[in-house]
Amino acid sequence: MLNLQNQARETFNKPLADCSNSEIYKILLDFVQNESQKLPVNDSKRKLYYVSAEFLIGKLLTNNLLNLGFYDEVKEELEKHGKSLDEVEEAEHEPSLGNGGLGRLAACFLDSITTLGLNGDGVGLNYHFGLFRQVFEENKQKYKPDEWLGEPTWLKKSEISFNVPFKSFTLTSSLYDISVLGYQQKTKNRLRLFDLESVTGDIIHKDSIDFDKTNIKENLTLFLYPDDSDREGNLLRIYQQYFMVSNAAQLIIAEAIERGSNVKDLADYAVIQINDTHPTLIIPELIRLLTTEHDIEFSEAVEITRNMVAFTNHTILSEALEKWPLEDIEEVTPIISEIIEQLDQMIKSEFSNYPKVHIIDDNDVIHMARLAIHFGFSTNGVSELHTEILKDIELHDFYKIYPEKFSNKTNGITFRRWLMAANPELTSFLNQKIGTKWHKDADLKALLDYQKDEETLDELKAIKHDRKVQLKNHLERTKGVKINPNSIIDIQIKRIHEYKRQQMLALYIIYKYMDIKKGNIPATPITIIFGGKAAPAYTIAQDIIHLILCLSELIDQDEQVNPYLKVLFVENYNVGEAEYLIPAANISEQISLASKEASGTGNMKFMLNGALTIATFDGANVEIEELVGNENIYTFGRISEEIVDLYENDGYDSMYYYKKATIKPLVDFIVSDPMLEIGNKENLERLHNDIKYKDYFMALIDLIEFIAIKEKVYEDYENEKVWWEKSLVNIAHAGFFSSDRTIEEYNHEIWHLDN
Ligand code: CR1
């Protein structure tokens, strides 16, 4: 067992109470690394490889302590010496190896795979700076490199290394491993991150994220999603992707041989789940390796590969469905472009009349999703609605050809991180009320027995208040901002994108601001919190951030309004911030334009932590509503059929909505004098014009309904008995969204791992 006091004296020659948080962090990291060292890695015959450009794993200390069973003990021990685990964890730098939902999903999946005792590793890249660090200056998003690497670290360098042949040079990789621990599991898996020793970060121009994009040897693993608005950027992304999948494929084959494969039977030993299209080049790469290094005929290599690869689609947004010019792939790796052309020929001769399923189109552009669907054995969507849209619309021709390949796997979240570690207060409440069986099966329905119990509802309310105070303290300590813990906490946290409609919430804020100025004072003060990054090349998303930051400043300055309304944009939103924000939320904003959000997973995290959802009929919101019933969720807006129809028939006219008497003043406020005084004319005017004349993601179409539902939610908040009962019902039905359930489905229907 761990004796922290002794460790402190041994390592730092002083009592624990005198150690800094970083020193304690170091002691605990060594301890956890030691404990996990003792666990054997899974080694059953058939193994899953979850290949992904992103793994948004978050900080690992608390989670690993929890999974190993030391969490309570360590927390108590620290408290005895006047220390707090939360503050110790602030010394840990969060790895920024992901960007959004698909990356966080990969991390939840690794936790569940390991918890279920399945043999499966994650494979990706060890980006030195990951995604940029967001800072706000002059109410605008600015970019800083995020230096998350350094000592002490969870990464362990392995002996494993492969040669990756590019057109005009070969690069030799290094492999770093992070142990992945399961909840109360005696075996472990690993996250395998490939890197290149010649990448050092020295070529970054000081304090920016600019660098020479052509110097592949020095830049290959610097950043996640380097700017791809020019050809160099495009090529760099292809270099990264090929480096990732070539290493992954060589690792998979080598490990299978070690476990007894003769290569011809490779598909009995390995199954590869590719997370979106970024790892699709693993298909031609496996074919290359099998034919050139293992003496297998081309057609047999194609069949072996097809039996191994499964594809998950995470979006229908065309900008995110990757397409690469054939000549760009040729520039990076001509062997691979040749193989893709051969595969394309096979498809063209079989489906000559279906141009929409051809891998290479008439402009010599390669459609990565098409490659993945033809040459994998499985394609899945991530919520029921999303999968239906894939089958009926986006991938309809493919569904006609291969109906048996398609299935749905509704996303999930790990309860270890998003309930047990993030919300220990709610966790002990649940333990008291319904016992601890849910730790294993995620079934929280027994809580419904307390639905009408006022004492229980009061406890729930007290926990939420406690979490609001914790959020307030955290924001004050780490960001120097103040919020009112007695206000309604209303949160939208996710990447900034027009389809997610942060701009619609901003328009509501304008409505509320005007309404308060008219003298309509909210019964309880309201705090609306945003968090999220915008892609550097996405201009309108930057403008939306600017609008929200300007509104925040305007309201803060207005003494008539600021006692009742606060708008806060949390800088550099990441997993760690989410762990503070979500437990404190009363209201979860899930307001994407119907059909556009494939699933969402934030929606599930908020629900599990007792927030009520304001939701459009999109992604997994639809399934939340099915579970909790219409009276326990606030749904509004056009349904996806209507939206799809509007796009198909070019039927949306933003001007029609703009001209409405309730809408026009709200939109025009963006360029009003008080706003122009605070903000930048160019940004605000561009956004104003965009919403007025284009509004491609239809923020205005649902605005009036949105305002009405928001007013209703705030009104309901005043009716405490009703509110906390709804909150309890949401928690009780969240079990379905455990990622353990999702992984069981992947395993039974796609992976078929032993165990
Ligand atoms: C989707 O936008 C979904 C996650 C995980 C995102 C989100 O709705 O919950 O994937 N897609 O499945 C994505 O990041 C590039 O696409």
Side-chain angles (χ1 to χ4, degrees):
M1 277 294 149
L2 172 68
N3 185 325
L4 280 173
Q5 184 67 289
N6 284 353
Q7 271 308 322
R9 289 192 197 280
E10 220 168 89
T11 323
F12 296 108
N13 209 9
K14 55 185 169 188
L16 186 61
D18 293 353
C19 288
S20 69
N21 287 332
S22 335
E23 287 167 340
I24 300 174
Y25 172 61
K26 166 94 176 88
I27 293 173
L28 289 171
L29 180 132
D30 287 345
F31 168 70
V32 171
Q33 290 284 57
N34 239 336
E35 290 299 309
S36 43
Q37 201 67 33
K38 296 180 198 158
L39 303 177
V41 288
N42 280 308
D43 70 347
S44 52
K45 173 179 168 185
R46 189 168 166 79
K47 176 167 177 176
L48 161 77
Y49 294 86
Y50 198 87
V51 186
S52 175
E54 301 183 35
F55 289 93
L56 209 43
I57 53 182
K59 296 184 182 191
L60 295 177
L61 179 62
T62 302
N63 240 252
N64 282 343
L65 285 171
L66 182 85
N67 281 352
L68 286 170
F70 292 108
Y71 173 77
D72 291 326
E73 192 185 322
V74 166
K75 202 170 161 174
E76 266 167 44
E77 186 70 13
L78 286 173
E79 277 162 18
K80 252 201 297 191
H81 294 85
K83 301 287 175 185
S84 108
L85 184 55
D86 282 351
E87 287 176 32
V88 168
E89 214 187 38
E90 276 167 23
E92 176 171 1
H93 209 113
E94 177 172 324
S96 89
L97 299 174
N99 142 49
L102 131 190
R104 182 53 231 174
L105 186 76
C108 284
F109 280 7
L110 291 184
D111 180 284
S112 286
I113 290 163
T114 315
T115 294
L116 295 173
L118 300 172
N119 186 10
D121 282 349
V123 186
L125 292 179
N126 188 36
Y127 311 100
H128 292 222
F129 299 107
L131 197 71
F132 67 88
R133 183 163 63 83
Q134 177 192 54
V135 293
F136 296 141
E137 283 166 19
E138 295 169 341
N139 291 331
K140 286 183 185 159
Q141 170 177 283
K142 296 281 151 62
Y143 311 88
K144 297 271 149 87
D146 193 350
E147 298 185 43
W148 73 275
L149 280 172
E151 293 297 330
T153 175
W154 297 100
L155 290 165
K156 279 236 179 332
K157 189 171 178 184
S158 77
E159 306 278 284
I160 294 171
S161 162
F162 299 106
N163 288 329
V164 178
F166 293 100
K167 180 179 172 187
S168 32
F169 51 86
T170 292
L171 295 176
T172 305
S173 65
S174 308
L175 175 61
Y176 292 81
D177 289 334
I178 296 178
S179 294
V180 178
L181 310 179
Y183 183 61
Q184 299 181 343
Q185 252 298 331
K186 296 294 168 230
T187 53
K188 69 177 174 220
N189 289 311
R190 285 163 298 178
L191 172 56
R192 330 285 300 266
L193 299 173
F194 284 97
D195 202 349
L196 194 60
E197 296 302 317
S198 53
V199 172
T200 61
D202 293 347
I203 65 166
I204 304 267
H205 301 146
K206 196 171 163 22
D207 219 20
S208 75
I209 55 167
D210 301 327
F211 60 95
D212 174 5
K213 285 192 203 154
T214 61
N215 187 342
I216 301 301
K217 281 178 201 149
E218 290 187 37
N219 72 22
L220 187 72
T221 51
L222 275 183
F223 286 101
L224 167 67
Y225 302 141
D227 173 29
D228 62 349
S229 53
D230 54 19
R231 176 146 197 261
E232 264 89 52
N234 258 332
L235 289 174
L236 173 53
R237 286 211 190 183
I238 298 171
Y239 276 108
Q240 284 190 333
Q241 292 187 355
Y242 183 62
F243 184 74
M244 172 171 79
V245 302
S246 176
N247 277 300
Q250 294 185 63
L251 178 75
I252 291 164
I253 294 174
E255 288 192 345
I257 291 173
E258 236 172 71
R259 291 198 304 282
S261 167
N262 62 18
V263 184
K264 282 184 181 287
D265 59 2
L266 194 59
D268 296 339
Y269 285 79
V271 56
I272 302 168
Q273 189 71 42
I274 60 175
N275 198 23
D276 219 74
T277 51
H278 318 108
T280 307
L281 288 176
I282 202 165
I283 290 168
E285 176 62 3
L286 281 164
I287 295 170
R288 179 186 76 86
L289 291 166
L290 293 175
T291 51
T292 62
E293 297 188 0
H294 299 278
D295 241 13
I296 290 175
E297 294 284 323
F298 189 84
S299 58
E300 193 181 352
V302 172
E303 281 326 300
I304 294 171
T305 301
R306 201 200 305 265
N307 289 327
M308 252 195 303
V309 176
F311 164 57
T312 305
N313 171 282
H314 293 271
T315 182
I316 61 162
L317 292 190
S318 60
E319 69 193 47
L321 289 173
E322 285 184 301
K323 303 176 211 36
W324 298 118
L326 183 62
E327 57 173 354
D328 286 1
I329 304 264
E330 211 173 335
E331 172 74 29
V332 175
T333 158
I335 310 188
I336 292 300
S337 70
E338 235 172 76
I339 293 173
I340 296 174
E341 287 188 81
Q342 271 175 280
L343 297 174
D344 178 55
Q345 275 316 317
M346 290 167 58
I347 297 302
K348 281 187 175 140
S349 58
E350 200 175 339
F351 305 107
S352 51
N353 297 330
Y354 278 103
K356 279 204 226 145
V357 306
H358 295 170
I359 296 169
I360 303 177
D361 68 20
D362 293 345
N363 301 315
D364 275 346
V365 171
I366 306 173
H367 294 245
M368 303 310 277
R370 300 181 189 174
L371 180 57
I373 301 168
H374 286 301
F375 293 97
F377 68 91
S378 156
T379 294
N380 74 279
V382 291
S383 74
E384 270 169 24
L385 177 66
H386 168 62
T387 303
E388 287 311 305
I389 291 173
L390 292 182
K391 293 200 285 198
D392 295 349
I393 303 161
E394 293 301 316
L395 301 175
H396 186 62
D397 287 336
F398 286 93
Y399 181 58
K400 278 196 295 194
I401 301 172
Y402 313 112
E404 74 291 348
K405 286 192 190 184
F406 282 76
S407 75
N408 175 243
K409 300 286 169 285
T410 296
N411 283 166
I413 57 175
T414 165
F415 283 24
R416 269 74 63 185
R417 181 172 291 266
W418 296 109
L419 177 53
M420 300 167 88
N423 201 341
E425 296 78 9
L426 186 58
T427 301
S428 38
F429 163 89
L430 290 168
N431 293 345
Q432 269 170 32
K433 298 289 170 197
I434 64 170
T436 56
K437 200 168 74 60
W438 64 270
H439 295 197
K440 287 283 178 194
D441 65 13
D443 188 345
L444 304 173
K445 284 212 226 25
L447 193 59
L448 292 172
D449 293 347
Y450 296 90
Q451 191 171 341
K452 300 285 175 196
D453 183 52
E454 281 184 32
E455 221 169 275
T456 301
L457 299 181
D458 280 346
E459 286 171 56
L460 208 50
K461 183 182 154 194
I463 290 168
K464 190 61 85 180
H465 188 260
D466 180 2
R467 295 303 313 210
K468 289 184 188 182
V469 173
Q470 289 189 40
L471 174 64
K472 168 189 176 279
N473 294 338
H474 167 77
L475 290 173
E476 249 171 58
R477 197 169 60 234
T478 60
K479 318 241 171 195
V481 292
K482 279 195 167 38
I483 59 162
N484 173 1
N486 296 312
S487 60
I488 302 175
I489 303 283
D490 181 342
I491 305 186
Q492 186 175 27
I493 40 177
K494 45 185 83 246
R495 287 300 296 244
I496 310 302
H497 200 294
E498 287 163 277
Y499 88 78
K500 296 180 186 281
R501 298 197 295 190
Q502 282 95 351
Q503 72 277 30
M504 185 167 77
L505 184 51
L507 290 169
Y508 171 77
I509 290 168
I510 294 173
Y511 165 84
K512 198 69 186 164
Y513 172 79
M514 292 175 160
D515 202 42
I516 295 173
K517 285 203 88 84
K518 275 188 232 151
N520 297 320
I521 306 295
T524 303
I526 299 161
T527 303
I528 299 181
I529 303 180
F530 293 87
K533 297 177 185 177
Y538 189 174
T539 311
I540 292 293
Q542 323 282 327
D543 294 343
I544 292 172
I545 293 181
H546 184 61
L547 169 65
I548 294 167
L549 287 171
C550 291
L551 283 170
S552 167
E553 190 178 323
L554 176 82
I555 292 167
D556 275 351
Q557 285 171 3
D558 191 322
E559 283 176 10
Q560 213 186 331
V561 180
N562 66 28
Y564 314 107
L565 181 62
K566 164 109 192 146
V567 175
L568 176 68
F569 206 130
V570 176
E571 202 174 59
N572 201 42
Y573 170 68
N574 58 14
V575 179
E577 295 304 326
E579 288 166 0
Y580 276 99
L581 290 162
I582 292 169
N586 296 118
I587 297 170
S588 156
E589 299 281 352
Q590 308 301 334
I591 57 177
S592 54
L593 179 64
S595 80
K596 296 296 181 190
E597 188 71 271
S599 160
T601 46
N603 47 4
M604 303 168 187
K605 295 165 196 166
F606 279 106
M607 171 195 190
L608 176 62
N609 283 277
L612 302 194
T613 314
I614 299 188
T616 46
F617 299 98
D618 204 13
N621 297 349
V622 177
E623 287 159 77
I624 296 181
E625 187 186 27
E626 279 164 17
L627 287 162
V628 301
N630 177 262
E631 65 285 8
N632 292 304
I633 185 170
Y634 295 88
T635 48
F636 73 101
R638 305 296 176 99
I639 61 171
S640 86
E641 281 90 341
E642 291 175 275
I643 300 299
V644 168
D645 194 61
L646 284 173
Y647 277 111
E648 271 172 8
N649 301 308
D650 213 2
Y652 179 67
D653 174 17
S654 59
M655 199 44 114
Y656 167 79
Y657 291 94
Y658 167 77
K659 283 187 189 145
K660 287 182 184 276
T662 32
I663 294 184
K664 187 168 182 301
L666 306 181
V667 176
D668 287 345
F669 190 81
I670 297 173
V671 289
S672 63
D673 288 345
M675 287 298 284
L676 290 173
E677 215 164 280
I678 292 172
N680 177 288
K681 192 160 181 255
E682 185 187 331
N683 295 85
L684 294 174
E685 278 184 351
R686 183 169 46 216
L687 181 60
H688 178 256
N689 277 331
D690 195 274
I691 294 177
K692 182 169 163 185
Y693 297 111
K694 193 157 119 219
D695 191 24
Y696 185 72
F697 290 100
M698 307 183 197
L700 301 187
I701 202 171
D702 292 331
L703 180 58
I704 291 176
E705 266 192 61
F706 181 55
I707 292 172
I709 201 94
K710 284 204 64 71
E711 293 301 298
K712 168 95 173 86
V713 177
Y714 293 149
E715 195 186 307
D716 283 4
Y717 184 80
E718 301 307 320
N719 189 344
E720 295 206 340
K721 233 193 274 166
V722 174
W723 183 271
W724 296 104
E725 183 181 337
K726 286 183 205 272
S727 170
L728 179 144
V729 171
N730 271 269
I731 299 169
H733 287 288
F736 175 74
F737 296 114
S738 161
S739 47
D740 297 352
R741 185 270 310 153
T742 314
I743 291 303
E744 299 264 14
E745 289 179 11
Y746 273 93
N747 190 35
H748 289 140
E749 294 164 35
I750 302 177
W751 303 337
H752 307 293
L753 306 170
D754 350 291
N755 231 33

